[in-house]
Amino acid sequence: MAPRAPRVFVIDDDHSVRRGLSRLLAAAGFEVEAFESGPAFLQRRPPRGNHCLIVDVRMSGMSGPALRDALRAEGRDSPVIFVTAHEIDEIGDEMAGEPILSKPIEADVLLRAIDAAMSAYASRTSRRERLAPR
C-alpha cells in the first residue's frame, strides 16, 4: 500500500482563499481539508501523521493565534503557518516565532514553508518518541 499523502488543513474565513489554497495544495499532491473557522476545525478529530495547518491570523470569532493556543491547551501539537492580508508589523508578537506569510501567497513560498514546518514537526515528534519512557 502506498504511503498516505501529507495532509494540510486550511483554516480561513474567506471562502475564496480557502478554495484557492485548497486547489493549489491538492495540485501539489497534498490531501487538503478546509475549514471556515477555528471552532469548526476544533470539532474535527485531532489529525495524525504528517500534517500542517495554514491558519489566517485575523478571522471573525476566533483568531489564528487563539486557535493555536486552544490546540496547545488540548495537547494537540500541530505545525502552524500563519497567513495574513494585513501588514506583518501590525500583528505584533502573537505568532510566537511561527512562520507568517503575507497574502497573496506565492505558491513556491507556501510550499517551502509547509515542507519546513512538516520537517520540523517530524523531527520533534521522533525526538519525543525516542525520549519517551518505555
Side-chain angles (χ1 to χ4, degrees), residues 26-64:
F30 293 101
E31 288 187 23
V32 182
E33 288 185 47
F35 298 85
E36 65 185 21
S37 68
F41 178 75
L42 288 172
Q43 291 176 358
R44 184 199 187 282
R45 284 190 350 250
R48 294 180 168 203
N50 200 10
H51 69 280
C52 181
L53 279 57
I54 308 296
V55 182
D56 188 17
V57 172
R58 293 190 178 158
M59 295 182 282
S60 56
M62 175 183 268
S63 72

PDB file of all heavy atoms in Angstrom, residues 26-64:
ATOM      1  N   ALA A  26      -3.794  20.743  -3.362  1.00  0.00           N
ATOM      2  CA  ALA A  26      -4.184  19.453  -3.949  1.00  0.00           C
ATOM      3  C   ALA A  26      -3.364  19.186  -5.211  1.00  0.00           C
ATOM      4  O   ALA A  26      -2.891  18.069  -5.431  1.00  0.00           O
ATOM      5  CB  ALA A  26      -5.676  19.432  -4.252  1.00  0.00           C
ATOM      6  N   ALA A  27      -3.160  20.212  -6.023  1.00  0.00           N
ATOM      7  CA  ALA A  27      -2.356  20.059  -7.240  1.00  0.00           C
ATOM      8  C   ALA A  27      -0.900  19.724  -6.907  1.00  0.00           C
ATOM      9  O   ALA A  27      -0.217  19.061  -7.683  1.00  0.00           O
ATOM     10  CB  ALA A  27      -2.428  21.328  -8.088  1.00  0.00           C
ATOM     11  N   ALA A  28      -0.444  20.156  -5.721  1.00  0.00           N
ATOM     12  CA  ALA A  28       0.931  19.877  -5.288  1.00  0.00           C
ATOM     13  C   ALA A  28       1.047  18.500  -4.630  1.00  0.00           C
ATOM     14  O   ALA A  28       2.126  18.117  -4.194  1.00  0.00           O
ATOM     15  CB  ALA A  28       1.407  20.964  -4.323  1.00  0.00           C
ATOM     16  N   GLY A  29      -0.062  17.767  -4.523  1.00  0.00           N
ATOM     17  CA  GLY A  29      -0.021  16.408  -4.018  1.00  0.00           C
ATOM     18  C   GLY A  29      -0.418  16.218  -2.567  1.00  0.00           C
ATOM     19  O   GLY A  29      -0.275  15.121  -2.023  1.00  0.00           O
ATOM     20  N   PHE A  30      -0.931  17.265  -1.937  1.00  0.00           N
ATOM     21  CA  PHE A  30      -1.363  17.149  -0.548  1.00  0.00           C
ATOM     22  C   PHE A  30      -2.828  16.724  -0.475  1.00  0.00           C
ATOM     23  O   PHE A  30      -3.615  17.036  -1.364  1.00  0.00           O
ATOM     24  CB  PHE A  30      -1.231  18.505   0.175  1.00  0.00           C
ATOM     25  CG  PHE A  30       0.185  18.955   0.344  1.00  0.00           C
ATOM     26  CD1 PHE A  30       0.718  19.907  -0.505  1.00  0.00           C
ATOM     27  CD2 PHE A  30       0.984  18.441   1.359  1.00  0.00           C
ATOM     28  CE1 PHE A  30       2.034  20.341  -0.357  1.00  0.00           C
ATOM     29  CE2 PHE A  30       2.287  18.866   1.514  1.00  0.00           C
ATOM     30  CZ  PHE A  30       2.818  19.816   0.654  1.00  0.00           C
ATOM     31  N   GLU A  31      -3.176  16.036   0.609  1.00  0.00           N
ATOM     32  CA  GLU A  31      -4.581  15.867   0.956  1.00  0.00           C
ATOM     33  C   GLU A  31      -4.962  17.144   1.690  1.00  0.00           C
ATOM     34  O   GLU A  31      -4.222  17.594   2.571  1.00  0.00           O
ATOM     35  CB  GLU A  31      -4.781  14.667   1.869  1.00  0.00           C
ATOM     36  CG  GLU A  31      -4.609  13.342   1.158  1.00  0.00           C
ATOM     37  CD  GLU A  31      -4.988  12.175   2.057  1.00  0.00           C
ATOM     38  OE1 GLU A  31      -5.769  12.360   3.022  1.00  0.00           O
ATOM     39  OE2 GLU A  31      -4.484  11.088   1.786  1.00  0.00           O
ATOM     40  N   VAL A  32      -6.087  17.749   1.335  1.00  0.00           N
ATOM     41  CA  VAL A  32      -6.452  19.046   1.891  1.00  0.00           C
ATOM     42  C   VAL A  32      -7.847  18.978   2.511  1.00  0.00           C
ATOM     43  O   VAL A  32      -8.758  18.406   1.925  1.00  0.00           O
ATOM     44  CB  VAL A  32      -6.438  20.141   0.797  1.00  0.00           C
ATOM     45  CG1 VAL A  32      -6.775  21.505   1.388  1.00  0.00           C
ATOM     46  CG2 VAL A  32      -5.094  20.186   0.085  1.00  0.00           C
ATOM     47  N   GLU A  33      -7.958  19.572   3.687  1.00  0.00           N
ATOM     48  CA  GLU A  33      -9.254  19.801   4.313  1.00  0.00           C
ATOM     49  C   GLU A  33      -9.317  21.282   4.649  1.00  0.00           C
ATOM     50  O   GLU A  33      -8.352  21.845   5.171  1.00  0.00           O
ATOM     51  CB  GLU A  33      -9.421  18.986   5.596  1.00  0.00           C
ATOM     52  CG  GLU A  33      -9.611  17.508   5.365  1.00  0.00           C
ATOM     53  CD  GLU A  33      -9.890  16.772   6.662  1.00  0.00           C
ATOM     54  OE1 GLU A  33     -10.749  17.228   7.459  1.00  0.00           O
ATOM     55  OE2 GLU A  33      -9.234  15.745   6.881  1.00  0.00           O
ATOM     56  N   ALA A  34     -10.448  21.909   4.345  1.00  0.00           N
ATOM     57  CA  ALA A  34     -10.594  23.341   4.588  1.00  0.00           C
ATOM     58  C   ALA A  34     -11.724  23.593   5.587  1.00  0.00           C
ATOM     59  O   ALA A  34     -12.747  22.893   5.571  1.00  0.00           O
ATOM     60  CB  ALA A  34     -10.878  24.066   3.275  1.00  0.00           C
ATOM     61  N   PHE A  35     -11.513  24.589   6.432  1.00  0.00           N
ATOM     62  CA  PHE A  35     -12.468  24.954   7.472  1.00  0.00           C
ATOM     63  C   PHE A  35     -12.650  26.461   7.463  1.00  0.00           C
ATOM     64  O   PHE A  35     -11.687  27.201   7.287  1.00  0.00           O
ATOM     65  CB  PHE A  35     -11.974  24.497   8.848  1.00  0.00           C
ATOM     66  CG  PHE A  35     -11.811  23.009   8.946  1.00  0.00           C
ATOM     67  CD1 PHE A  35     -10.638  22.397   8.523  1.00  0.00           C
ATOM     68  CD2 PHE A  35     -12.839  22.223   9.432  1.00  0.00           C
ATOM     69  CE1 PHE A  35     -10.486  21.023   8.601  1.00  0.00           C
ATOM     70  CE2 PHE A  35     -12.700  20.845   9.512  1.00  0.00           C
ATOM     71  CZ  PHE A  35     -11.532  20.239   9.092  1.00  0.00           C
ATOM     72  N   GLU A  36     -13.877  26.908   7.735  1.00  0.00           N
ATOM     73  CA  GLU A  36     -14.165  28.339   7.699  1.00  0.00           C
ATOM     74  C   GLU A  36     -13.878  29.051   9.016  1.00  0.00           C
ATOM     75  O   GLU A  36     -13.955  30.276   9.076  1.00  0.00           O
ATOM     76  CB  GLU A  36     -15.611  28.579   7.290  1.00  0.00           C
ATOM     77  CG  GLU A  36     -16.618  28.065   8.280  1.00  0.00           C
ATOM     78  CD  GLU A  36     -18.041  28.214   7.780  1.00  0.00           C
ATOM     79  OE1 GLU A  36     -18.254  28.334   6.573  1.00  0.00           O
ATOM     80  OE2 GLU A  36     -18.935  28.206   8.633  1.00  0.00           O
ATOM     81  N   SER A  37     -13.554  28.294  10.061  1.00  0.00           N
ATOM     82  CA  SER A  37     -13.296  28.927  11.358  1.00  0.00           C
ATOM     83  C   SER A  37     -12.481  28.004  12.254  1.00  0.00           C
ATOM     84  O   SER A  37     -12.427  26.782  12.030  1.00  0.00           O
ATOM     85  CB  SER A  37     -14.622  29.254  12.053  1.00  0.00           C
ATOM     86  OG  SER A  37     -15.288  28.063  12.439  1.00  0.00           O
ATOM     87  N   GLY A  38     -11.911  28.604  13.287  1.00  0.00           N
ATOM     88  CA  GLY A  38     -11.198  27.827  14.286  1.00  0.00           C
ATOM     89  C   GLY A  38     -12.106  26.830  14.994  1.00  0.00           C
ATOM     90  O   GLY A  38     -11.750  25.651  15.130  1.00  0.00           O
ATOM     91  N   PRO A  39     -13.287  27.266  15.468  1.00  0.00           N
ATOM     92  CA  PRO A  39     -14.182  26.314  16.134  1.00  0.00           C
ATOM     93  C   PRO A  39     -14.581  25.135  15.232  1.00  0.00           C
ATOM     94  O   PRO A  39     -14.682  24.005  15.714  1.00  0.00           O
ATOM     95  CB  PRO A  39     -15.402  27.169  16.503  1.00  0.00           C
ATOM     96  CG  PRO A  39     -14.828  28.543  16.691  1.00  0.00           C
ATOM     97  CD  PRO A  39     -13.761  28.644  15.625  1.00  0.00           C
ATOM     98  N   ALA A  40     -14.755  25.365  13.948  1.00  0.00           N
ATOM     99  CA  ALA A  40     -15.089  24.259  13.033  1.00  0.00           C
ATOM    100  C   ALA A  40     -13.936  23.255  12.987  1.00  0.00           C
ATOM    101  O   ALA A  40     -14.162  22.038  12.996  1.00  0.00           O
ATOM    102  CB  ALA A  40     -15.396  24.798  11.635  1.00  0.00           C
ATOM    103  N   PHE A  41     -12.708  23.741  12.956  1.00  0.00           N
ATOM    104  CA  PHE A  41     -11.557  22.832  12.954  1.00  0.00           C
ATOM    105  C   PHE A  41     -11.450  22.075  14.280  1.00  0.00           C
ATOM    106  O   PHE A  41     -11.138  20.884  14.304  1.00  0.00           O
ATOM    107  CB  PHE A  41     -10.261  23.584  12.667  1.00  0.00           C
ATOM    108  CG  PHE A  41      -9.052  22.692  12.710  1.00  0.00           C
ATOM    109  CD1 PHE A  41      -8.792  21.811  11.673  1.00  0.00           C
ATOM    110  CD2 PHE A  41      -8.197  22.705  13.797  1.00  0.00           C
ATOM    111  CE1 PHE A  41      -7.691  20.958  11.711  1.00  0.00           C
ATOM    112  CE2 PHE A  41      -7.096  21.862  13.846  1.00  0.00           C
ATOM    113  CZ  PHE A  41      -6.853  20.987  12.799  1.00  0.00           C
ATOM    114  N   LEU A  42     -11.710  22.747  15.389  1.00  0.00           N
ATOM    115  CA  LEU A  42     -11.602  22.109  16.701  1.00  0.00           C
ATOM    116  C   LEU A  42     -12.589  20.952  16.870  1.00  0.00           C
ATOM    117  O   LEU A  42     -12.354  20.051  17.674  1.00  0.00           O
ATOM    118  CB  LEU A  42     -11.797  23.144  17.817  1.00  0.00           C
ATOM    119  CG  LEU A  42     -10.651  24.130  18.001  1.00  0.00           C
ATOM    120  CD1 LEU A  42     -11.043  25.225  18.981  1.00  0.00           C
ATOM    121  CD2 LEU A  42      -9.386  23.426  18.457  1.00  0.00           C
ATOM    122  N   GLN A  43     -13.685  20.969  16.120  1.00  0.00           N
ATOM    123  CA  GLN A  43     -14.665  19.882  16.196  1.00  0.00           C
ATOM    124  C   GLN A  43     -14.163  18.615  15.502  1.00  0.00           C
ATOM    125  O   GLN A  43     -14.690  17.535  15.728  1.00  0.00           O
ATOM    126  CB  GLN A  43     -15.994  20.310  15.582  1.00  0.00           C
ATOM    127  CG  GLN A  43     -16.698  21.366  16.402  1.00  0.00           C
ATOM    128  CD  GLN A  43     -17.963  21.846  15.742  1.00  0.00           C
ATOM    129  OE1 GLN A  43     -18.322  21.435  14.651  1.00  0.00           O
ATOM    130  NE2 GLN A  43     -18.656  22.745  16.422  1.00  0.00           N
ATOM    131  N   ARG A  44     -13.164  18.749  14.662  1.00  0.00           N
ATOM    132  CA  ARG A  44     -12.604  17.607  13.936  1.00  0.00           C
ATOM    133  C   ARG A  44     -11.740  16.780  14.880  1.00  0.00           C
ATOM    134  O   ARG A  44     -11.112  17.316  15.783  1.00  0.00           O
ATOM    135  CB  ARG A  44     -11.749  18.125  12.777  1.00  0.00           C
ATOM    136  CG  ARG A  44     -11.211  17.034  11.903  1.00  0.00           C
ATOM    137  CD  ARG A  44     -10.024  17.532  11.083  1.00  0.00           C
ATOM    138  NE  ARG A  44      -9.614  16.530  10.141  1.00  0.00           N
ATOM    139  CZ  ARG A  44      -8.883  15.454  10.459  1.00  0.00           C
ATOM    140  NH1 ARG A  44      -8.504  15.232  11.683  1.00  0.00           N
ATOM    141  NH2 ARG A  44      -8.538  14.594   9.528  1.00  0.00           N
ATOM    142  N   ARG A  45     -11.699  15.485  14.635  1.00  0.00           N
ATOM    143  CA  ARG A  45     -10.767  14.646  15.399  1.00  0.00           C
ATOM    144  C   ARG A  45      -9.349  15.164  15.182  1.00  0.00           C
ATOM    145  O   ARG A  45      -9.001  15.621  14.086  1.00  0.00           O
ATOM    146  CB  ARG A  45     -10.836  13.198  14.902  1.00  0.00           C
ATOM    147  CG  ARG A  45     -12.049  12.458  15.364  1.00  0.00           C
ATOM    148  CD  ARG A  45     -11.973  10.964  15.061  1.00  0.00           C
ATOM    149  NE  ARG A  45     -10.895  10.548  14.194  1.00  0.00           N
ATOM    150  CZ  ARG A  45     -11.037  10.103  12.938  1.00  0.00           C
ATOM    151  NH1 ARG A  45     -12.220  10.006  12.401  1.00  0.00           N
ATOM    152  NH2 ARG A  45     -10.002   9.729  12.232  1.00  0.00           N
ATOM    153  N   PRO A  46      -8.492  15.047  16.201  1.00  0.00           N
ATOM    154  CA  PRO A  46      -7.107  15.523  16.031  1.00  0.00           C
ATOM    155  C   PRO A  46      -6.423  14.812  14.869  1.00  0.00           C
ATOM    156  O   PRO A  46      -6.560  13.603  14.717  1.00  0.00           O
ATOM    157  CB  PRO A  46      -6.440  15.160  17.362  1.00  0.00           C
ATOM    158  CG  PRO A  46      -7.558  15.054  18.338  1.00  0.00           C
ATOM    159  CD  PRO A  46      -8.749  14.561  17.549  1.00  0.00           C
ATOM    160  N   PRO A  47      -5.718  15.574  14.044  1.00  0.00           N
ATOM    161  CA  PRO A  47      -5.006  14.950  12.920  1.00  0.00           C
ATOM    162  C   PRO A  47      -3.853  14.084  13.406  1.00  0.00           C
ATOM    163  O   PRO A  47      -3.265  14.342  14.455  1.00  0.00           O
ATOM    164  CB  PRO A  47      -4.496  16.138  12.109  1.00  0.00           C
ATOM    165  CG  PRO A  47      -4.537  17.304  13.014  1.00  0.00           C
ATOM    166  CD  PRO A  47      -5.533  17.012  14.074  1.00  0.00           C
ATOM    167  N   ARG A  48      -3.566  13.055  12.632  1.00  0.00           N
ATOM    168  CA  ARG A  48      -2.425  12.185  12.901  1.00  0.00           C
ATOM    169  C   ARG A  48      -1.525  12.196  11.683  1.00  0.00           C
ATOM    170  O   ARG A  48      -1.941  12.532  10.600  1.00  0.00           O
ATOM    171  CB  ARG A  48      -2.902  10.761  13.165  1.00  0.00           C
ATOM    172  CG  ARG A  48      -3.696  10.645  14.417  1.00  0.00           C
ATOM    173  CD  ARG A  48      -4.128   9.229  14.618  1.00  0.00           C
ATOM    174  NE  ARG A  48      -4.636   9.099  15.965  1.00  0.00           N
ATOM    175  CZ  ARG A  48      -4.699   7.986  16.614  1.00  0.00           C
ATOM    176  NH1 ARG A  48      -4.289   6.867  16.049  1.00  0.00           N
ATOM    177  NH2 ARG A  48      -5.171   7.952  17.828  1.00  0.00           N
ATOM    178  N   GLY A  49      -0.308  11.757  11.898  1.00  0.00           N
ATOM    179  CA  GLY A  49       0.616  11.653  10.782  1.00  0.00           C
ATOM    180  C   GLY A  49       1.155  13.001  10.352  1.00  0.00           C
ATOM    181  O   GLY A  49       1.003  14.011  11.036  1.00  0.00           O
ATOM    182  N   ASN A  50       1.774  12.997   9.202  1.00  0.00           N
ATOM    183  CA  ASN A  50       2.432  14.184   8.671  1.00  0.00           C
ATOM    184  C   ASN A  50       1.377  15.187   8.218  1.00  0.00           C
ATOM    185  O   ASN A  50       0.617  14.919   7.293  1.00  0.00           O
ATOM    186  CB  ASN A  50       3.349  13.769   7.514  1.00  0.00           C
ATOM    187  CG  ASN A  50       4.408  14.796   7.233  1.00  0.00           C
ATOM    188  OD1 ASN A  50       4.605  15.738   7.987  1.00  0.00           O
ATOM    189  ND2 ASN A  50       5.098  14.614   6.129  1.00  0.00           N
ATOM    190  N   HIS A  51       1.328  16.333   8.891  1.00  0.00           N
ATOM    191  CA  HIS A  51       0.318  17.335   8.568  1.00  0.00           C
ATOM    192  C   HIS A  51       0.812  18.730   8.933  1.00  0.00           C
ATOM    193  O   HIS A  51       1.832  18.888   9.586  1.00  0.00           O
ATOM    194  CB  HIS A  51      -0.995  17.036   9.298  1.00  0.00           C
ATOM    195  CG  HIS A  51      -0.899  17.241  10.775  1.00  0.00           C
ATOM    196  ND1 HIS A  51      -0.333  16.311  11.622  1.00  0.00           N
ATOM    197  CD2 HIS A  51      -1.290  18.273  11.557  1.00  0.00           C
ATOM    198  CE1 HIS A  51      -0.384  16.762  12.861  1.00  0.00           C
ATOM    199  NE2 HIS A  51      -0.951  17.952  12.854  1.00  0.00           N
ATOM    200  N   CYS A  52       0.038  19.712   8.495  1.00  0.00           N
ATOM    201  CA  CYS A  52       0.364  21.109   8.745  1.00  0.00           C
ATOM    202  C   CYS A  52      -0.928  21.922   8.701  1.00  0.00           C
ATOM    203  O   CYS A  52      -1.852  21.566   7.973  1.00  0.00           O
ATOM    204  CB  CYS A  52       1.339  21.589   7.668  1.00  0.00           C
ATOM    205  SG  CYS A  52       1.872  23.294   7.850  1.00  0.00           S
ATOM    206  N   LEU A  53      -0.989  22.992   9.465  1.00  0.00           N
ATOM    207  CA  LEU A  53      -2.132  23.887   9.450  1.00  0.00           C
ATOM    208  C   LEU A  53      -1.735  25.207   8.815  1.00  0.00           C
ATOM    209  O   LEU A  53      -0.690  25.771   9.151  1.00  0.00           O
ATOM    210  CB  LEU A  53      -2.616  24.175  10.876  1.00  0.00           C
ATOM    211  CG  LEU A  53      -3.492  23.167  11.573  1.00  0.00           C
ATOM    212  CD1 LEU A  53      -2.861  21.805  11.660  1.00  0.00           C
ATOM    213  CD2 LEU A  53      -3.862  23.666  12.957  1.00  0.00           C
ATOM    214  N   ILE A  54      -2.560  25.682   7.896  1.00  0.00           N
ATOM    215  CA  ILE A  54      -2.421  27.024   7.328  1.00  0.00           C
ATOM    216  C   ILE A  54      -3.565  27.828   7.936  1.00  0.00           C
ATOM    217  O   ILE A  54      -4.735  27.541   7.678  1.00  0.00           O
ATOM    218  CB  ILE A  54      -2.551  27.011   5.784  1.00  0.00           C
ATOM    219  CG1 ILE A  54      -1.627  25.986   5.143  1.00  0.00           C
ATOM    220  CG2 ILE A  54      -2.358  28.421   5.223  1.00  0.00           C
ATOM    221  CD1 ILE A  54      -0.170  26.241   5.338  1.00  0.00           C
ATOM    222  N   VAL A  55      -3.242  28.820   8.763  1.00  0.00           N
ATOM    223  CA  VAL A  55      -4.259  29.498   9.568  1.00  0.00           C
ATOM    224  C   VAL A  55      -4.201  31.011   9.350  1.00  0.00           C
ATOM    225  O   VAL A  55      -3.144  31.626   9.515  1.00  0.00           O
ATOM    226  CB  VAL A  55      -4.053  29.189  11.068  1.00  0.00           C
ATOM    227  CG1 VAL A  55      -5.128  29.853  11.913  1.00  0.00           C
ATOM    228  CG2 VAL A  55      -4.021  27.686  11.315  1.00  0.00           C
ATOM    229  N   ASP A  56      -5.358  31.589   9.020  1.00  0.00           N
ATOM    230  CA  ASP A  56      -5.461  33.039   8.906  1.00  0.00           C
ATOM    231  C   ASP A  56      -5.296  33.657  10.285  1.00  0.00           C
ATOM    232  O   ASP A  56      -5.809  33.141  11.280  1.00  0.00           O
ATOM    233  CB  ASP A  56      -6.827  33.406   8.316  1.00  0.00           C
ATOM    234  CG  ASP A  56      -6.945  34.876   7.973  1.00  0.00           C
ATOM    235  OD1 ASP A  56      -5.906  35.576   7.868  1.00  0.00           O
ATOM    236  OD2 ASP A  56      -8.080  35.348   7.802  1.00  0.00           O
ATOM    237  N   VAL A  57      -4.561  34.749  10.364  1.00  0.00           N
ATOM    238  CA  VAL A  57      -4.318  35.404  11.643  1.00  0.00           C
ATOM    239  C   VAL A  57      -5.598  36.031  12.187  1.00  0.00           C
ATOM    240  O   VAL A  57      -5.958  35.819  13.346  1.00  0.00           O
ATOM    241  CB  VAL A  57      -3.219  36.484  11.510  1.00  0.00           C
ATOM    242  CG1 VAL A  57      -3.104  37.310  12.781  1.00  0.00           C
ATOM    243  CG2 VAL A  57      -1.888  35.850  11.167  1.00  0.00           C
ATOM    244  N   ARG A  58      -6.289  36.770  11.341  1.00  0.00           N
ATOM    245  CA  ARG A  58      -7.469  37.507  11.806  1.00  0.00           C
ATOM    246  C   ARG A  58      -8.720  36.948  11.157  1.00  0.00           C
ATOM    247  O   ARG A  58      -9.011  37.221   9.999  1.00  0.00           O
ATOM    248  CB  ARG A  58      -7.321  38.987  11.483  1.00  0.00           C
ATOM    249  CG  ARG A  58      -6.214  39.624  12.280  1.00  0.00           C
ATOM    250  CD  ARG A  58      -6.226  41.113  12.161  1.00  0.00           C
ATOM    251  NE  ARG A  58      -5.174  41.683  12.994  1.00  0.00           N
ATOM    252  CZ  ARG A  58      -4.658  42.871  12.804  1.00  0.00           C
ATOM    253  NH1 ARG A  58      -5.084  43.618  11.820  1.00  0.00           N
ATOM    254  NH2 ARG A  58      -3.711  43.309  13.600  1.00  0.00           N
ATOM    255  N   MET A  59      -9.444  36.170  11.939  1.00  0.00           N
ATOM    256  CA  MET A  59     -10.721  35.626  11.490  1.00  0.00           C
ATOM    257  C   MET A  59     -11.788  36.102  12.465  1.00  0.00           C
ATOM    258  O   MET A  59     -11.503  36.367  13.628  1.00  0.00           O
ATOM    259  CB  MET A  59     -10.694  34.089  11.490  1.00  0.00           C
ATOM    260  CG  MET A  59      -9.726  33.480  10.517  1.00  0.00           C
ATOM    261  SD  MET A  59      -9.772  31.682  10.535  1.00  0.00           S
ATOM    262  CE  MET A  59      -8.817  31.317  12.015  1.00  0.00           C
ATOM    263  N   SER A  60     -13.021  36.169  11.986  1.00  0.00           N
ATOM    264  CA  SER A  60     -14.105  36.541  12.889  1.00  0.00           C
ATOM    265  C   SER A  60     -14.333  35.397  13.874  1.00  0.00           C
ATOM    266  O   SER A  60     -14.170  34.232  13.548  1.00  0.00           O
ATOM    267  CB  SER A  60     -15.380  36.830  12.086  1.00  0.00           C
ATOM    268  OG  SER A  60     -15.717  35.715  11.295  1.00  0.00           O
ATOM    269  N   GLY A  61     -14.656  35.752  15.085  1.00  0.00           N
ATOM    270  CA  GLY A  61     -14.914  34.743  16.110  1.00  0.00           C
ATOM    271  C   GLY A  61     -13.656  34.350  16.855  1.00  0.00           C
ATOM    272  O   GLY A  61     -13.427  34.776  17.977  1.00  0.00           O
ATOM    273  N   MET A  62     -12.814  33.524  16.247  1.00  0.00           N
ATOM    274  CA  MET A  62     -11.591  33.038  16.881  1.00  0.00           C
ATOM    275  C   MET A  62     -10.411  33.367  15.966  1.00  0.00           C
ATOM    276  O   MET A  62     -10.376  32.933  14.821  1.00  0.00           O
ATOM    277  CB  MET A  62     -11.682  31.525  17.119  1.00  0.00           C
ATOM    278  CG  MET A  62     -10.414  30.911  17.676  1.00  0.00           C
ATOM    279  SD  MET A  62     -10.539  29.111  17.865  1.00  0.00           S
ATOM    280  CE  MET A  62     -11.108  29.027  19.545  1.00  0.00           C
ATOM    281  N   SER A  63      -9.449  34.088  16.490  1.00  0.00           N
ATOM    282  CA  SER A  63      -8.273  34.436  15.688  1.00  0.00           C
ATOM    283  C   SER A  63      -7.377  33.222  15.496  1.00  0.00           C
ATOM    284  O   SER A  63      -7.508  32.208  16.197  1.00  0.00           O
ATOM    285  CB  SER A  63      -7.485  35.550  16.379  1.00  0.00           C
ATOM    286  OG  SER A  63      -6.833  35.043  17.536  1.00  0.00           O
ATOM    287  N   GLY A  64      -6.456  33.329  14.567  1.00  0.00           N
ATOM    288  CA  GLY A  64      -5.485  32.266  14.353  1.00  0.00           C
ATOM    289  C   GLY A  64      -4.662  31.958  15.594  1.00  0.00           C
ATOM    290  O   GLY A  64      -4.530  30.794  15.981  1.00  0.00           O
TER     291      GLY A  64
END
